[in-house]
Amino acid sequence: MSSGANVEQPGVSVFLTVRNEERDLEESIEHILEQDYPGPLEVVVAVGPSSDRTEEIAASIARAEPRVVVVANPTGKTPAGLNRAVAAAQHDLLVRVDGHSVVPHDYVSTAVAALASSGAANVGGLMRPEGRTALEMAIARAMSSPLGIGSVSFHTGGAEGPSDSVYLGSFRRDALESVGGFDEEFLRAQDWELNYRLRRAGHVVWFDPRLSVGYRPRGSWKALAEQFYRSGRWRRHVMQRYPETASARYLAPPVAVGAMVVGAAAGVVGLVAGLPWAIAGFLVPATYAVGVVAGSVAVGSGLPVGARLRLPGVVATMHLCWGGGFLRGPEPVTPEREPATN
C-alpha cells in the first residue's frame, strides 16, 4: 500500500484498545492499514496486560509499520485504554475500531465524509457478526436479529439518521473532549454511556448503515454466557446512574427471567404439594421455550444445520444471562477481569 498522503484531506487517527487479542489483532490492524483514505492516517493501539502474545504482536507490527503507535494501558480497563489512545493520537478526527473487528477498505473515507455531511459529533454504523464455526454462525445470526438482541439499528440495521448510540464510532476530538472522553468507571456499556452524554450536551450521534464492520463473535458457550451476563450487570449500572434511560427493551429480559423463575418454582411446589393450579406455573418457562424455538426457526433460515440446531440455545443463553446479570446488579470494578472490548 502506498504511504503517500493527500495533505488536503484531514488527518485521521484510528484508535483501539486490546487485551488478549492474539487471535484477531494482526488481521484487524491489517484491514486498517489497507484503507483507501487519501489523507494522513495513523493507528494508535493501547495494549493492556495480556496472558497471550498480544503485546508481542502489537510491538512487532509497530516496528514494521511507522503508522502504528503502541501505548501502554497498565490497568487493562477498556475505557482507560481508549482514553490513553486518544491522548496519544495526533489527529482531530478519531475513528474507533476493536481488536477483533474487520473494517472494509473504505471505512475511514466513509466515516470522514459522514462526519462532514451530518455535522455530528460521532458517526457509526452496523455491527456485522461473522461466524466461522457452527456456534459462531448461530451467535452471529442471533446478534443481528431482533429475536436475539432487540430492535436496535446498529445491530439489526435501519435508515441513516440520528441515533441513541452506534457501534464503535468516529468522533470529532473537540466534541469527545468536551464531555470528558470515556468514563473509566464503565468497564462495559461505555459506548452507550458516552453517546448519552454527547446527546445530553446537545451533540448529534449519527447512524450510517454504510459503516458496516465485521465482528467475530465469542467462540464458546461459556464465553457467550459471560459476555451477556456481564453486559446485563453493566446495563443495570447505566440505569442506576441514569434512571431516565430505562426502557421496555432493557427491562424485558429481567422481567422474563423473574417470571420463569417464579413459574418454575410454583410448578415444583405444585408437584410436591399436589396443587394442580401451581403446577400450571411450568407453563411460563414452557411458553418461553416454545417461543424461542419457533422464533429461531424463522430467523435461522439459510444457516447450516449445525448452526440452526444451536440457535435456540444461543438465543436463550443471551436472554437469560443478560436478564440474570441485570437482576444481579452492577459488578465491582475489577480491571484484571475486564476484556479489551465490549
Side-chain angles (χ1 to χ4, degrees):
M1 174 180 172
S2 171
S3 61
N6 183 344
V7 296
E8 295 181 357
Q9 297 293 322
V12 173
S13 295
V14 179
F15 69 104
L16 63 159
T17 184
V18 297
R19 178 184 164 196
N20 294 331
E21 290 285 4
E22 177 184 61
R23 182 186 72 169
D24 301 310
L25 179 58
E26 193 166 5
E27 180 184 10
S28 179
I29 294 180
E30 179 181 340
H31 279 80
I32 300 168
L33 295 174
E34 291 175 348
Q35 292 295 296
D36 66 2
Y37 186 66
L41 179 75
E42 68 169 353
V43 183
V44 184
V45 188
V47 182
S50 300
S51 59
D52 63 9
R53 296 178 55 251
T54 296
E55 294 172 85
E56 177 186 338
I57 292 170
S60 175
I61 294 172
R63 285 194 298 270
E65 173 54 70
R67 291 174 296 167
V68 176
V69 177
V70 175
V71 297
N73 178 27
T75 69
K77 294 167 57 178
T78 295
L82 295 173
N83 285 336
R84 282 177 172 266
V86 168
Q90 62 176 312
H91 300 305
D92 291 331
L93 295 184
L94 304 164
V95 176
R96 183 188 171 188
V97 302
D98 271 342
H100 51 261
S101 60
V102 178
V103 294
H105 76 284
D106 61 347
Y107 186 82
V108 170
S109 296
T110 303
V112 171
L115 280 169
S117 63
S118 67
N122 180 20
V123 301
L126 188 68
M127 175 195 286
R128 188 181 70 254
E130 299 173 340
R132 298 175 185 173
T133 67
L135 177 59
E136 289 175 359
M137 286 188 280
I139 295 172
R141 182 62 58 89
M143 291 186 71
S144 55
S145 164
L147 175 67
I149 209 75
S151 297
V152 56
S153 58
F154 65 85
H155 282 296
T156 60
E160 178 181 6
S163 178
D164 287 348
S165 191
V166 292
Y167 181 52
L168 298 176
S170 299
F171 304 86
R172 298 196 329 262
R173 181 189 291 273
D174 59 343
L176 181 61
E177 292 181 345
S178 74
V179 297
F182 292 89
D183 188 328
E184 298 188 11
E185 179 181 333
F186 285 84
L187 300 188
R188 289 180 180 250
Q190 65 270 162
D191 289 341
W192 196 98
E193 193 275 341
L194 170 61
N195 286 318
Y196 179 75
R197 284 187 286 117
L198 284 169
R199 291 186 290 109
R200 194 170 63 173
H203 296 292
V204 173
V205 176
W206 191 264
F207 172 75
D208 188 328
R210 296 176 300 167
L211 295 169
S212 178
V213 182
Y215 168 86
R216 181 86 181 271
R218 300 300 194 266
S220 70
W221 290 100
K222 179 181 178 181
L224 174 68
E226 180 178 7
Q227 177 189 13
F228 277 82
Y229 179 74
R230 297 190 68 208
S231 293
R233 297 191 73 177
W234 280 99
R235 176 55 58 179
R236 177 76 173 271
H237 190 109
V238 171
M239 287 192 186
Q240 288 184 351
R241 171 79 71 86
Y242 307 111
E244 66 276 15
T245 66
S247 69
R249 173 175 173 257
Y250 293 121
L251 295 176
V255 168
V257 170
M260 283 188 283
V261 169
V262 171
V268 171
V269 170
L271 286 175
V272 172
L275 300 172
W277 61 268
I279 295 175
F282 284 127
L283 288 174
V284 178
T287 300
Y288 170 79
V290 170
V292 166
V293 171
S296 297
V297 169
V299 305
S301 176
L303 286 174
V305 172
R308 295 188 73 175
L309 291 174
R310 289 167 173 79
L311 185 56
V314 164
V315 171
T317 298
M318 291 165 60
H319 290 173
L320 300 182
C321 290
W322 200 101
F326 185 96
L327 291 173
R328 172 75 184 277
E331 64 182 49
V333 176
T334 52
E336 69 276 6
R337 293 180 58 240
E338 170 60 14
T341 57
N342 60 322

